[in-house]
Amino acid sequence: MAAGGFRRYATYGTATAAGVFTNTVFGFILAYTYVALWDERPGLGGYDQAEALTFVWVSQSLLAAGALIGGGFQEEMQERIRTGDIAVDLYRPADLQMWWLAADMGRAGFQLLGRGAVPLLAGALAFPLALPADPLRWLLFLVSVTLGLTVSFGLRYLLGLAAFWLMDGSGINMMAVVVQIFFSGMLLPLTVFPGGFGELVRVLPWAAMLQVPLDVLMGKHAGAGGAVRALGFQSLWALVLLGAGRLLQSAATRKVVVQGG
Amino acid sequence: MAEAEAVEAVGAARPSAWSGGPVAVPVRNRAVEGVRGYGLIVAMWVRSTMTYRTSFLLSTFGNAAITLLDFVAIWIMFSHVEALGGFTLPEIALLYGSSSASLGLADLLLGNTDRIGVRIRDGSLDTMLVRPVPVLAQVAADRFALRRVGRIGQGLAVLGWAVSELDVGWTAGRVLLLPVMVVAGAAIFGAVMVAGAAFQFVAGDAAEVQNSFTYGGNTMLQYPPTVFAKDLLRGVTFIVPLAFVNWLPALYVLGRPYPLELPGWVAFVSPLVAVLVFVPASLAWRAGLRSYRSTGS
């Protein structure tokens, strides 16, 4: 399933190139505003200017994979629910949630490579970035990204299932993108958010999608204990959301039976 | 050339071209036909949107919230600094509100032109070619999303707040510039959207390129020009003239110097710039439509 998902998105060459262009343009715009902000307040949010710029460019590379700006599988799932095709999926021998997870991981894997590498390279050429040289750090980052993608999937699976009750998912998808962009740290690192509000946004599941992998990459979670805590935080959200998806799925399945498919 | 003309003729076909029968079909002007067709398609989509009223209300609110959370991020920045690029929060709110309102307006009227790439790919553009309404009007009205009034409202609200907070001497020229800036800005964004749609005839499904000029441009115009590199400023002044959407008029309103060596009156030429960019955009659109070959599927 994952390989199929990867191949399927790999056929959209032009769309991927256009997406790379978009991520690069946004990267430049954000990078300039961050330079202005960190010129004014060096060390803001615990980052120096190079780290703040790294935050911008690595997050642009992760956006498409995490489906934070839309895209992903839930639109397709909602369409299958709306048309009733989902009944066929439920009869398949594969588990519905794991089936979509595999497909979404394949998509994310392609977009990590296809839409991730070029914007990061452009950013590294145009601005001084603080990318680590330590291969272990990159390995931890990859684990953290994978967990982040799982959290993102877990949340979007709930959105997909919501179509069983709402029928049309476009409204809730739109709301989800708004929330994801803001609470993941894409507009501004979550460490810059002030006071109690800042503390709250840093423990919400969206923090696991962008903020935590970026901090892992830049070594903000000091020592082995810090890394374990960061990955543990992501794992916890992944388990909670996948579990919630499972509960909601069984509720939804009963609803399908009531309607007669 | 004969083939190209044939495609054009089909695209422009009016009922009168087919009639010849006893039914007299009034011959209308092409532009009137376009506006009328646009209105009919828009009305259809509005009716269909209203079928899912909860979803419509949610998405309208969501649309307003997009711009709100953007602005919250800027507001959080200002909880740490007094000024960004030398501009205060109300000054940035003026840039933010005007750009958002302009983009929202252009998005409402022409935003769905970015779906042309999908329509080319799945072959559904062919259906549009045989309908008696100009293709551009059909593409622009395709899936018309009334929820986008949310963004316009949000932009205008922030603009209103900025105007109430700003400490500038309100001359007639400055007051006049505000509505002119929003409407002409929308027209410039609209021209970029049409040009982007034309580009998709060549490039295939490249909606995101169009989006990086419109949404990306909007994000850039929300911040003061002093933040950006000079080459970028030259690019958005002379090549894709986004600086005329709000930067140049807003700098005049704020009484601040222009980032490049430009004369004072450029603040007032946005409507003219909008007309000037619509000419190449519509030529590109016509050329794109003429070059269109159906996928045959």
Side-chain angles (χ1 to χ4, degrees), chain B residues 118-195:
Chain B
V118 175
R119 290 212 166 261
I120 292 171
R121 202 177 63 210
D122 68 14
S124 56
L125 186 65
D126 293 11
T127 334
M128 294 185 162
L129 289 172
V130 297
R131 287 193 200 128
V133 174
V135 181
L136 184 59
Q138 294 183 54
V139 172
D142 187 22
R143 299 202 170 193
F144 180 85
L146 191 61
R147 61 168 186 270
R148 286 173 172 162
V149 297
R151 185 197 279 273
I152 304 173
Q154 184 64 51
L156 290 177
V158 173
L159 187 61
W161 178 79
V163 168
S164 72
E165 288 289 306
L166 281 173
D167 191 20
V168 294
W170 288 103
T171 62
R174 281 177 172 153
V175 173
L176 179 72
L177 259 182
L178 291 176
V180 169
M181 171 165 70
V182 171
V183 175
I188 293 172
F189 273 135
V192 173
M193 286 168 180
V194 171

Side-chain angles (χ1 to χ4, degrees), chain B:
Chain B
M1 191 60 205
E3 209 179 333
E5 277 168 0
V7 171
E8 176 70 354
V10 173
R14 283 176 295 223
S16 58
W18 304 334
S19 57
V23 184
V25 180
V27 180
R28 291 194 196 86
N29 172 299
R30 204 175 134 79
V32 174
E33 198 74 36
V35 171
R36 191 174 154 272
Y38 181 88
L40 286 172
I41 302 169
V42 162
M44 180 193 79
W45 280 110
V46 169
R47 269 202 308 280
S48 107
T49 309
M50 288 308 169
T51 315
Y52 300 109
R53 207 167 284 262
T54 315
S55 194
F56 168 72
L57 290 175
L58 267 177
S59 52
T60 306
F61 176 75
N63 215 277
I66 284 178
T67 43
L68 178 72
L69 287 181
D70 271 358
F71 193 63
V72 170
I74 294 176
W75 182 79
I76 290 174
M77 288 182 183
F78 274 88
S79 71
H80 297 282
V81 295
E82 293 288 309
L84 197 65
F87 282 62
T88 62
L89 185 57
E91 288 178 310
I92 286 183
L94 179 74
L95 294 172
Y96 176 97
S98 56
S99 179
S100 273
S102 290
L103 181 67
L105 204 55
D107 226 5
L108 181 73
L109 298 176
L110 285 165
N112 285 332
T113 50
D114 69 352
R115 287 179 44 79
I116 188 98
V118 175
R119 290 212 166 261
I120 292 171
R121 202 177 63 210
D122 68 14
S124 56
L125 186 65
D126 293 11
T127 334
M128 294 185 162
L129 289 172
V130 297
R131 287 193 200 128
V133 174
V135 181
L136 184 59
Q138 294 183 54
V139 172
D142 187 22
R143 299 202 170 193
F144 180 85
L146 191 61
R147 61 168 186 270
R148 286 173 172 162
V149 297
R151 185 197 279 273
I152 304 173
Q154 184 64 51
L156 290 177
V158 173
L159 187 61
W161 178 79
V163 168
S164 72
E165 288 289 306
L166 281 173
D167 191 20
V168 294
W170 288 103
T171 62
R174 281 177 172 153
V175 173
L176 179 72
L177 259 182
L178 291 176
V180 169
M181 171 165 70
V182 171
V183 175
I188 293 172
F189 273 135
V192 173
M193 286 168 180
V194 171
F199 175 66
Q200 292 197 46
F201 280 109
V202 187
D205 193 356
E208 293 221 47
V209 172
Q210 183 175 341
N211 290 342
S212 49
F213 283 104
T214 51
Y215 289 85
N218 175 51
T219 306
M220 186 176 70
L221 295 173
Q222 291 170 358
Y223 294 94
T226 46
V227 164
F228 299 98
K230 274 278 182 331
D231 282 335
L232 190 66
L233 297 181
R234 284 190 196 100
V236 296
T237 307
F238 301 114
I239 300 170
V240 184
L242 294 178
F244 293 90
V245 169
N246 73 343
W247 268 350
L248 295 168
L251 290 174
Y252 180 88
V253 170
L254 297 174
R256 283 179 172 266
Y258 299 147
L260 306 168
E261 304 287 315
L262 294 169
W265 49 263
V266 294
F268 292 91
V269 301
S270 296
L272 188 65
V273 170
V275 172
L276 284 179
V277 288
F278 251 111
V279 172
S282 59
L283 288 178
W285 169 261
R286 279 162 164 271
L289 196 60
R290 265 195 216 107
S291 73
Y292 172 68
R293 295 284 177 274
S294 169
T295 51
S297 55

